[in-house]
């Protein structure tokens, strides 16, 4: 497998209210983007890193990550990933898509995603069981508790055969997909779950 990691870093971070896009928020005097990229640059299974950054910060991202290719992201997450896919080297056949907000993903999670792809999976997501109590919300307040048995939170990096991910992006209508695994699943591709962290 020839693997490229796509780092999605074009979000505005409006919910964070930090005054800068969340990928550029400092943690330990370094931007989240740098922390996240290091996980993939250092991983022996990943050859290339492509960053989709806010258009106005592409040069800044490129300076921070000289070993990565940086492209301007889109208005939506989906558009950002699509632009990064267009920038991949031709020989890349496997793609990891990772949200920079999850800057400290353990190498073991990347290992598990890559191992599942190497074993033949077309799409892989790391997941964690839901442990919090879940409630519905109504106009009048809280509704019933939701049974969390069988529920899982989906994380990144999500891994894909490049051809599967490109086809899903080409076939999606609108920008409603919240992640790439949902897009490929909607296209009829089975998504394999591995343990997250």
């Amino acid at each position: 497998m020839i693997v490229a990691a796509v780092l999605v870093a074009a979000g505005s971070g409006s919910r964070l209210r930090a005054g800068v896009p969340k990928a550029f928020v400092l943690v330990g005097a370094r931007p989240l983007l740098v922390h996240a990229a290091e996980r993939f640059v250092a991983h022996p299974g990943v050859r290339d890193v492509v960053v989709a950054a806010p258009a106005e910060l592409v040069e800044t991202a490129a300076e921070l990550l000289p070993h990565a290719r940086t492209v301007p992201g889109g208005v939506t997450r989906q558009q950002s990933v699509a632009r990064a896919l267009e920038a991949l080297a031709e020989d890349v056949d496997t793609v990891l898509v990772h949200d920079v907000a999850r800057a400290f993903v353990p190498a073991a999670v990347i290992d598990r995603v890559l191992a599942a792809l190497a074993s033949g999976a077309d799409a892989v997501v790391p997941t964690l069981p839901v442990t919090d109590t879940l409630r519905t919300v109504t106009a009048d307040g809280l509704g019933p508790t939701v049974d969390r048995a069988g529920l899982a939170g989906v994380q990144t990096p999500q891994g894909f055969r490049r051809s599967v991910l490109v086809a899903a992006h080409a076939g999606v209508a609108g920008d409603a997909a919240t992640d790439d695994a949902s897009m490929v699943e909607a296209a009829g591709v089975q998504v394999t779950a591995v343990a997250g962290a």
Side-chain angles (χ1 to χ4, degrees), residues 158-180:
Q158 298 181 354
F160 306 93
R161 302 258 172 256
R162 180 183 186 168
S163 57
V164 166
L165 185 56
V166 169
H169 273 268
V172 75
D175 296 319
T178 58
D179 69 352
D180 295 276

Side-chain angles (χ1 to χ4, degrees), residues 40-97:
F40 295 91
V41 169
H43 196 284
V46 177
R47 189 189 74 182
D48 301 338
V49 174
V50 178
V51 177
E56 68 277 11
L57 292 170
V58 167
E59 289 183 16
T60 301
E63 290 171 7
L64 289 169
L65 304 172
H67 301 296
R69 181 165 186 184
T70 306
V71 299
V75 175
T76 66
R77 182 185 189 285
Q78 180 184 329
Q79 290 173 1
S80 294
V81 174
R83 289 180 181 182
L85 289 174
E86 292 172 358
L88 295 179
E90 287 186 18
D91 61 346
V92 169
D93 57 16
T94 305
V95 181
L96 301 176
V97 180

Side-chain angles (χ1 to χ4, degrees), residues 129-137 142-149 151:
V130 173
T131 57
D132 293 331
T133 298
L134 301 176
R135 300 282 300 267
T136 57
V137 179
L142 291 177
T145 299
V146 176
D147 182 4
R148 64 186 178 213
L151 296 179

Side-chain angles (χ1 to χ4, degrees), residues 102-192:
R102 299 178 189 275
F104 302 100
V105 60
V109 173
I110 300 171
D111 291 342
R112 288 192 287 269
V113 172
L114 290 176
L117 290 164
S119 295
D122 288 323
V124 181
V125 296
T127 65
L128 279 181
V130 173
T131 57
D132 293 331
T133 298
L134 301 176
R135 300 282 300 267
T136 57
V137 179
T138 67
D140 298 326
L142 291 177
T145 299
V146 176
D147 182 4
R148 64 186 178 213
L151 296 179
V154 175
Q155 301 179 322
T156 63
Q158 298 181 354
F160 306 93
R161 302 258 172 256
R162 180 183 186 168
S163 57
V164 166
L165 185 56
V166 169
H169 273 268
V172 75
D175 296 319
T178 58
D179 69 352
D180 295 276
S182 299
M183 290 172 54
V184 301
E185 197 168 39
V189 176
Q190 181 177 346
V191 177
T192 299

